[in-house]
Amino acid sequence: MKEKAISWASQARNSGLRPRDFHVSVIRKFWPKVKYGLSANTSSFQELSTAMHKPYYWMAPIGGLICSARRELRALDSGFYGLGYPHWGIEAMVEAYRKFYTHYGTSTTLGVQLQMSLELLICEVGISNQPFTLNYKRYGSFATDGFCKSLWEKLDHFHFKLFVNHTLFQPPRERDRWMMEALAQAGFSTEECKTLNLVRLHQQVLFESDIFEADGRTIDPKYLSPRQRGTKWSTYQFGRQQPPPSAFRLWRDAISQLAPGGRRNSKLGPFRHQPHIIWPCRYDPSDDEPTGHMGTLQPPVP
């Protein structure tokens, strides 16, 4: 994108166009050529803003503005006595939002891909099913780079909030919380939460209730030890993580704060939604037998 802009600006310097004709050429020729594919560009707002400085520096004198003028005047609208050149960061946000708004929720290939990208973002951040309303500077490092993360960064730069009609991820129990929300409220710093989030992803935890037994009060001891590679504790897909041993020590300390002595002070409420964690066995009251994933288990001896 930057190379195309510099190439066009170099040709424009030798064109001999008058300022008025040059401005028309910028809108009709330069920008359609440069912005092609901008909606798929995942560069940050700052990277895009920096990339446009060099070509606009060459183009400013042709448009009637001295090179030593402040950079902001190059992208300032002509109604405010600026050159009115398109701001790459702002235009990238508009194009990305337009793409998301147009295709998200549809059954097209792109619509399904956007839904998958958003669901992965929600799982990685682990604090809300509305990631576009969160503080990017605080939680942006929790997520892998991608289209939805790039859109989130640009929206947060201008303090915009985007609410999505997405109800797949719901806390399973009453008085339940997102796991990272619970850890943040427990007083852990942003850096500590970033470390804890790596362990959370490795342990395939999304909600606070995931780490408790069915009684809603006792800690499930398997979540205190690293999950063995190849085993699944959730029906959701989590990215592969390799937390260091120090991260697991912090994880155990965090769980001990949520449940001192391995038990919550207050019991979680009844289930409201289907949990995503894989239980080792389920009890069917119709035949009075607990059923495991590998077959029927023997009922407990009274």
PDB file of all heavy atoms in Angstrom, residues 104-131:
ATOM      1  N   TYR A 104     -21.199 -10.093   8.795  1.00  0.00           N
ATOM      2  CA  TYR A 104     -21.347 -10.850  10.037  1.00  0.00           C
ATOM      3  C   TYR A 104     -22.809 -11.276  10.218  1.00  0.00           C
ATOM      4  O   TYR A 104     -23.741 -10.502  10.022  1.00  0.00           O
ATOM      5  CB  TYR A 104     -20.901 -10.027  11.243  1.00  0.00           C
ATOM      6  CG  TYR A 104     -21.031 -10.776  12.542  1.00  0.00           C
ATOM      7  CD1 TYR A 104     -20.089 -11.723  12.909  1.00  0.00           C
ATOM      8  CD2 TYR A 104     -22.127 -10.574  13.381  1.00  0.00           C
ATOM      9  CE1 TYR A 104     -20.214 -12.437  14.091  1.00  0.00           C
ATOM     10  CE2 TYR A 104     -22.266 -11.278  14.560  1.00  0.00           C
ATOM     11  CZ  TYR A 104     -21.296 -12.206  14.913  1.00  0.00           C
ATOM     12  OH  TYR A 104     -21.447 -12.917  16.084  1.00  0.00           O
ATOM     13  N   GLY A 105     -22.993 -12.514  10.593  1.00  0.00           N
ATOM     14  CA  GLY A 105     -24.332 -13.048  10.810  1.00  0.00           C
ATOM     15  C   GLY A 105     -24.969 -13.651   9.586  1.00  0.00           C
ATOM     16  O   GLY A 105     -26.075 -14.210   9.677  1.00  0.00           O
ATOM     17  N   THR A 106     -24.292 -13.578   8.447  1.00  0.00           N
ATOM     18  CA  THR A 106     -24.816 -14.196   7.228  1.00  0.00           C
ATOM     19  C   THR A 106     -24.286 -15.621   7.104  1.00  0.00           C
ATOM     20  O   THR A 106     -23.366 -16.027   7.807  1.00  0.00           O
ATOM     21  CB  THR A 106     -24.421 -13.380   5.988  1.00  0.00           C
ATOM     22  OG1 THR A 106     -22.994 -13.410   5.818  1.00  0.00           O
ATOM     23  CG2 THR A 106     -24.875 -11.934   6.132  1.00  0.00           C
ATOM     24  N   SER A 107     -24.869 -16.375   6.172  1.00  0.00           N
ATOM     25  CA  SER A 107     -24.452 -17.766   5.969  1.00  0.00           C
ATOM     26  C   SER A 107     -23.390 -17.895   4.879  1.00  0.00           C
ATOM     27  O   SER A 107     -23.050 -19.011   4.496  1.00  0.00           O
ATOM     28  CB  SER A 107     -25.670 -18.616   5.585  1.00  0.00           C
ATOM     29  OG  SER A 107     -26.312 -18.096   4.419  1.00  0.00           O
ATOM     30  N   THR A 108     -22.859 -16.770   4.407  1.00  0.00           N
ATOM     31  CA  THR A 108     -21.811 -16.815   3.397  1.00  0.00           C
ATOM     32  C   THR A 108     -20.503 -17.292   4.019  1.00  0.00           C
ATOM     33  O   THR A 108     -20.352 -17.325   5.250  1.00  0.00           O
ATOM     34  CB  THR A 108     -21.606 -15.427   2.763  1.00  0.00           C
ATOM     35  OG1 THR A 108     -21.167 -14.505   3.781  1.00  0.00           O
ATOM     36  CG2 THR A 108     -22.908 -14.915   2.161  1.00  0.00           C
ATOM     37  N   THR A 109     -19.553 -17.638   3.159  1.00  0.00           N
ATOM     38  CA  THR A 109     -18.249 -18.093   3.655  1.00  0.00           C
ATOM     39  C   THR A 109     -17.584 -17.016   4.493  1.00  0.00           C
ATOM     40  O   THR A 109     -17.043 -17.296   5.574  1.00  0.00           O
ATOM     41  CB  THR A 109     -17.335 -18.468   2.469  1.00  0.00           C
ATOM     42  OG1 THR A 109     -17.959 -19.509   1.711  1.00  0.00           O
ATOM     43  CG2 THR A 109     -15.978 -18.947   2.971  1.00  0.00           C
ATOM     44  N   LEU A 110     -17.618 -15.776   4.021  1.00  0.00           N
ATOM     45  CA  LEU A 110     -17.012 -14.682   4.768  1.00  0.00           C
ATOM     46  C   LEU A 110     -17.742 -14.437   6.078  1.00  0.00           C
ATOM     47  O   LEU A 110     -17.112 -14.159   7.110  1.00  0.00           O
ATOM     48  CB  LEU A 110     -17.006 -13.405   3.922  1.00  0.00           C
ATOM     49  CG  LEU A 110     -16.338 -12.175   4.542  1.00  0.00           C
ATOM     50  CD1 LEU A 110     -14.907 -12.483   4.951  1.00  0.00           C
ATOM     51  CD2 LEU A 110     -16.382 -11.000   3.569  1.00  0.00           C
ATOM     52  N   GLY A 111     -19.073 -14.562   6.072  1.00  0.00           N
ATOM     53  CA  GLY A 111     -19.829 -14.384   7.302  1.00  0.00           C
ATOM     54  C   GLY A 111     -19.480 -15.423   8.351  1.00  0.00           C
ATOM     55  O   GLY A 111     -19.344 -15.105   9.540  1.00  0.00           O
ATOM     56  N   VAL A 112     -19.329 -16.670   7.922  1.00  0.00           N
ATOM     57  CA  VAL A 112     -18.949 -17.744   8.856  1.00  0.00           C
ATOM     58  C   VAL A 112     -17.532 -17.522   9.378  1.00  0.00           C
ATOM     59  O   VAL A 112     -17.249 -17.723  10.567  1.00  0.00           O
ATOM     60  CB  VAL A 112     -19.074 -19.116   8.167  1.00  0.00           C
ATOM     61  CG1 VAL A 112     -18.534 -20.229   9.065  1.00  0.00           C
ATOM     62  CG2 VAL A 112     -20.521 -19.391   7.791  1.00  0.00           C
ATOM     63  N   GLN A 113     -16.626 -17.085   8.508  1.00  0.00           N
ATOM     64  CA  GLN A 113     -15.258 -16.814   8.942  1.00  0.00           C
ATOM     65  C   GLN A 113     -15.204 -15.684   9.963  1.00  0.00           C
ATOM     66  O   GLN A 113     -14.443 -15.757  10.943  1.00  0.00           O
ATOM     67  CB  GLN A 113     -14.389 -16.476   7.733  1.00  0.00           C
ATOM     68  CG  GLN A 113     -14.103 -17.659   6.821  1.00  0.00           C
ATOM     69  CD  GLN A 113     -13.337 -17.272   5.574  1.00  0.00           C
ATOM     70  OE1 GLN A 113     -13.258 -16.102   5.197  1.00  0.00           O
ATOM     71  NE2 GLN A 113     -12.760 -18.261   4.896  1.00  0.00           N
ATOM     72  N   LEU A 114     -16.000 -14.649   9.771  1.00  0.00           N
ATOM     73  CA  LEU A 114     -16.037 -13.546  10.734  1.00  0.00           C
ATOM     74  C   LEU A 114     -16.601 -14.016  12.069  1.00  0.00           C
ATOM     75  O   LEU A 114     -16.120 -13.600  13.128  1.00  0.00           O
ATOM     76  CB  LEU A 114     -16.877 -12.397  10.181  1.00  0.00           C
ATOM     77  CG  LEU A 114     -16.248 -11.583   9.055  1.00  0.00           C
ATOM     78  CD1 LEU A 114     -17.233 -10.557   8.515  1.00  0.00           C
ATOM     79  CD2 LEU A 114     -14.979 -10.883   9.527  1.00  0.00           C
ATOM     80  N   GLN A 115     -17.613 -14.887  12.030  1.00  0.00           N
ATOM     81  CA  GLN A 115     -18.167 -15.407  13.274  1.00  0.00           C
ATOM     82  C   GLN A 115     -17.131 -16.257  14.014  1.00  0.00           C
ATOM     83  O   GLN A 115     -16.990 -16.147  15.241  1.00  0.00           O
ATOM     84  CB  GLN A 115     -19.409 -16.237  12.985  1.00  0.00           C
ATOM     85  CG  GLN A 115     -20.065 -16.800  14.246  1.00  0.00           C
ATOM     86  CD  GLN A 115     -21.370 -17.516  13.963  1.00  0.00           C
ATOM     87  OE1 GLN A 115     -21.947 -17.348  12.898  1.00  0.00           O
ATOM     88  NE2 GLN A 115     -21.824 -18.315  14.909  1.00  0.00           N
ATOM     89  N   MET A 116     -16.386 -17.068  13.283  1.00  0.00           N
ATOM     90  CA  MET A 116     -15.334 -17.877  13.906  1.00  0.00           C
ATOM     91  C   MET A 116     -14.252 -16.983  14.494  1.00  0.00           C
ATOM     92  O   MET A 116     -13.750 -17.231  15.601  1.00  0.00           O
ATOM     93  CB  MET A 116     -14.737 -18.834  12.876  1.00  0.00           C
ATOM     94  CG  MET A 116     -15.677 -19.924  12.398  1.00  0.00           C
ATOM     95  SD  MET A 116     -14.988 -20.913  11.057  1.00  0.00           S
ATOM     96  CE  MET A 116     -13.494 -21.526  11.818  1.00  0.00           C
ATOM     97  N   SER A 117     -13.876 -15.928  13.763  1.00  0.00           N
ATOM     98  CA  SER A 117     -12.848 -15.015  14.254  1.00  0.00           C
ATOM     99  C   SER A 117     -13.292 -14.322  15.540  1.00  0.00           C
ATOM    100  O   SER A 117     -12.506 -14.171  16.483  1.00  0.00           O
ATOM    101  CB  SER A 117     -12.530 -13.978  13.171  1.00  0.00           C
ATOM    102  OG  SER A 117     -11.559 -13.050  13.627  1.00  0.00           O
ATOM    103  N   LEU A 118     -14.567 -13.926  15.589  1.00  0.00           N
ATOM    104  CA  LEU A 118     -15.077 -13.275  16.790  1.00  0.00           C
ATOM    105  C   LEU A 118     -15.150 -14.249  17.960  1.00  0.00           C
ATOM    106  O   LEU A 118     -14.802 -13.897  19.098  1.00  0.00           O
ATOM    107  CB  LEU A 118     -16.460 -12.682  16.508  1.00  0.00           C
ATOM    108  CG  LEU A 118     -17.128 -11.964  17.684  1.00  0.00           C
ATOM    109  CD1 LEU A 118     -16.293 -10.772  18.130  1.00  0.00           C
ATOM    110  CD2 LEU A 118     -18.534 -11.520  17.317  1.00  0.00           C
ATOM    111  N   GLU A 119     -15.567 -15.477  17.707  1.00  0.00           N
ATOM    112  CA  GLU A 119     -15.643 -16.465  18.781  1.00  0.00           C
ATOM    113  C   GLU A 119     -14.263 -16.786  19.339  1.00  0.00           C
ATOM    114  O   GLU A 119     -14.101 -16.952  20.560  1.00  0.00           O
ATOM    115  CB  GLU A 119     -16.326 -17.732  18.261  1.00  0.00           C
ATOM    116  CG  GLU A 119     -17.808 -17.540  17.960  1.00  0.00           C
ATOM    117  CD  GLU A 119     -18.437 -18.754  17.311  1.00  0.00           C
ATOM    118  OE1 GLU A 119     -17.689 -19.732  17.058  1.00  0.00           O
ATOM    119  OE2 GLU A 119     -19.652 -18.738  17.060  1.00  0.00           O
ATOM    120  N   LEU A 120     -13.262 -16.882  18.479  1.00  0.00           N
ATOM    121  CA  LEU A 120     -11.902 -17.116  18.956  1.00  0.00           C
ATOM    122  C   LEU A 120     -11.407 -15.936  19.775  1.00  0.00           C
ATOM    123  O   LEU A 120     -10.708 -16.106  20.790  1.00  0.00           O
ATOM    124  CB  LEU A 120     -10.971 -17.365  17.766  1.00  0.00           C
ATOM    125  CG  LEU A 120     -11.149 -18.698  17.037  1.00  0.00           C
ATOM    126  CD1 LEU A 120     -10.291 -18.739  15.776  1.00  0.00           C
ATOM    127  CD2 LEU A 120     -10.787 -19.860  17.951  1.00  0.00           C
ATOM    128  N   LEU A 121     -11.762 -14.717  19.354  1.00  0.00           N
ATOM    129  CA  LEU A 121     -11.373 -13.531  20.114  1.00  0.00           C
ATOM    130  C   LEU A 121     -12.007 -13.542  21.496  1.00  0.00           C
ATOM    131  O   LEU A 121     -11.344 -13.231  22.499  1.00  0.00           O
ATOM    132  CB  LEU A 121     -11.789 -12.272  19.343  1.00  0.00           C
ATOM    133  CG  LEU A 121     -11.502 -10.923  20.029  1.00  0.00           C
ATOM    134  CD1 LEU A 121     -10.000 -10.722  20.196  1.00  0.00           C
ATOM    135  CD2 LEU A 121     -12.110  -9.773  19.228  1.00  0.00           C
ATOM    136  N   ILE A 122     -13.278 -13.924  21.570  1.00  0.00           N
ATOM    137  CA  ILE A 122     -13.966 -13.981  22.858  1.00  0.00           C
ATOM    138  C   ILE A 122     -13.304 -15.015  23.769  1.00  0.00           C
ATOM    139  O   ILE A 122     -13.088 -14.765  24.965  1.00  0.00           O
ATOM    140  CB  ILE A 122     -15.455 -14.313  22.643  1.00  0.00           C
ATOM    141  CG1 ILE A 122     -16.156 -13.149  21.930  1.00  0.00           C
ATOM    142  CG2 ILE A 122     -16.145 -14.603  23.968  1.00  0.00           C
ATOM    143  CD1 ILE A 122     -17.587 -13.454  21.527  1.00  0.00           C
ATOM    144  N   CYS A 123     -12.974 -16.183  23.210  1.00  0.00           N
ATOM    145  CA  CYS A 123     -12.333 -17.231  24.017  1.00  0.00           C
ATOM    146  C   CYS A 123     -10.961 -16.794  24.509  1.00  0.00           C
ATOM    147  O   CYS A 123     -10.578 -17.082  25.647  1.00  0.00           O
ATOM    148  CB  CYS A 123     -12.211 -18.510  23.202  1.00  0.00           C
ATOM    149  SG  CYS A 123     -13.731 -19.464  23.062  1.00  0.00           S
ATOM    150  N   GLU A 124     -10.202 -16.105  23.670  1.00  0.00           N
ATOM    151  CA  GLU A 124      -8.844 -15.713  24.046  1.00  0.00           C
ATOM    152  C   GLU A 124      -8.844 -14.619  25.103  1.00  0.00           C
ATOM    153  O   GLU A 124      -8.010 -14.635  26.008  1.00  0.00           O
ATOM    154  CB  GLU A 124      -8.079 -15.250  22.809  1.00  0.00           C
ATOM    155  CG  GLU A 124      -7.691 -16.381  21.878  1.00  0.00           C
ATOM    156  CD  GLU A 124      -6.770 -15.921  20.759  1.00  0.00           C
ATOM    157  OE1 GLU A 124      -6.844 -14.740  20.365  1.00  0.00           O
ATOM    158  OE2 GLU A 124      -5.966 -16.737  20.288  1.00  0.00           O
ATOM    159  N   VAL A 125      -9.757 -13.674  25.005  1.00  0.00           N
ATOM    160  CA  VAL A 125      -9.809 -12.590  25.997  1.00  0.00           C
ATOM    161  C   VAL A 125     -10.440 -13.096  27.282  1.00  0.00           C
ATOM    162  O   VAL A 125      -9.963 -12.796  28.381  1.00  0.00           O
ATOM    163  CB  VAL A 125     -10.570 -11.378  25.432  1.00  0.00           C
ATOM    164  CG1 VAL A 125     -10.688 -10.286  26.483  1.00  0.00           C
ATOM    165  CG2 VAL A 125      -9.867 -10.835  24.195  1.00  0.00           C
ATOM    166  N   GLY A 126     -11.534 -13.841  27.175  1.00  0.00           N
ATOM    167  CA  GLY A 126     -12.119 -14.516  28.327  1.00  0.00           C
ATOM    168  C   GLY A 126     -12.711 -13.614  29.375  1.00  0.00           C
ATOM    169  O   GLY A 126     -12.660 -13.942  30.560  1.00  0.00           O
ATOM    170  N   ILE A 127     -13.284 -12.480  28.970  1.00  0.00           N
ATOM    171  CA  ILE A 127     -13.821 -11.563  29.974  1.00  0.00           C
ATOM    172  C   ILE A 127     -15.214 -11.065  29.623  1.00  0.00           C
ATOM    173  O   ILE A 127     -15.929 -10.547  30.469  1.00  0.00           O
ATOM    174  CB  ILE A 127     -12.869 -10.363  30.176  1.00  0.00           C
ATOM    175  CG1 ILE A 127     -13.136  -9.671  31.510  1.00  0.00           C
ATOM    176  CG2 ILE A 127     -12.959  -9.372  29.028  1.00  0.00           C
ATOM    177  CD1 ILE A 127     -12.073  -8.681  31.892  1.00  0.00           C
ATOM    178  N   SER A 128     -15.648 -11.227  28.373  1.00  0.00           N
ATOM    179  CA  SER A 128     -16.967 -10.751  27.966  1.00  0.00           C
ATOM    180  C   SER A 128     -17.283 -11.297  26.580  1.00  0.00           C
ATOM    181  O   SER A 128     -16.375 -11.588  25.798  1.00  0.00           O
ATOM    182  CB  SER A 128     -17.003  -9.215  27.936  1.00  0.00           C
ATOM    183  OG  SER A 128     -18.211  -8.741  27.362  1.00  0.00           O
ATOM    184  N   ASN A 129     -18.582 -11.437  26.285  1.00  0.00           N
ATOM    185  CA  ASN A 129     -18.969 -11.817  24.931  1.00  0.00           C
ATOM    186  C   ASN A 129     -19.198 -10.593  24.048  1.00  0.00           C
ATOM    187  O   ASN A 129     -19.742 -10.712  22.948  1.00  0.00           O
ATOM    188  CB  ASN A 129     -20.214 -12.715  24.943  1.00  0.00           C
ATOM    189  CG  ASN A 129     -21.411 -12.029  25.573  1.00  0.00           C
ATOM    190  OD1 ASN A 129     -21.354 -10.874  25.987  1.00  0.00           O
ATOM    191  ND2 ASN A 129     -22.514 -12.758  25.656  1.00  0.00           N
ATOM    192  N   GLN A 130     -18.795  -9.425  24.555  1.00  0.00           N
ATOM    193  CA  GLN A 130     -18.817  -8.184  23.779  1.00  0.00           C
ATOM    194  C   GLN A 130     -17.401  -7.591  23.791  1.00  0.00           C
ATOM    195  O   GLN A 130     -17.136  -6.585  24.448  1.00  0.00           O
ATOM    196  CB  GLN A 130     -19.825  -7.187  24.370  1.00  0.00           C
ATOM    197  CG  GLN A 130     -21.261  -7.644  24.346  1.00  0.00           C
ATOM    198  CD  GLN A 130     -21.819  -7.708  22.927  1.00  0.00           C
ATOM    199  OE1 GLN A 130     -21.295  -7.119  22.007  1.00  0.00           O
ATOM    200  NE2 GLN A 130     -22.917  -8.448  22.776  1.00  0.00           N
ATOM    201  N   PRO A 131     -16.465  -8.195  23.058  1.00  0.00           N
ATOM    202  CA  PRO A 131     -15.064  -7.738  23.135  1.00  0.00           C
ATOM    203  C   PRO A 131     -14.851  -6.328  22.590  1.00  0.00           C
ATOM    204  O   PRO A 131     -13.899  -5.656  22.981  1.00  0.00           O
ATOM    205  CB  PRO A 131     -14.316  -8.776  22.284  1.00  0.00           C
ATOM    206  CG  PRO A 131     -15.341  -9.312  21.341  1.00  0.00           C
ATOM    207  CD  PRO A 131     -16.627  -9.308  22.103  1.00  0.00           C
TER     208      PRO A 131
END
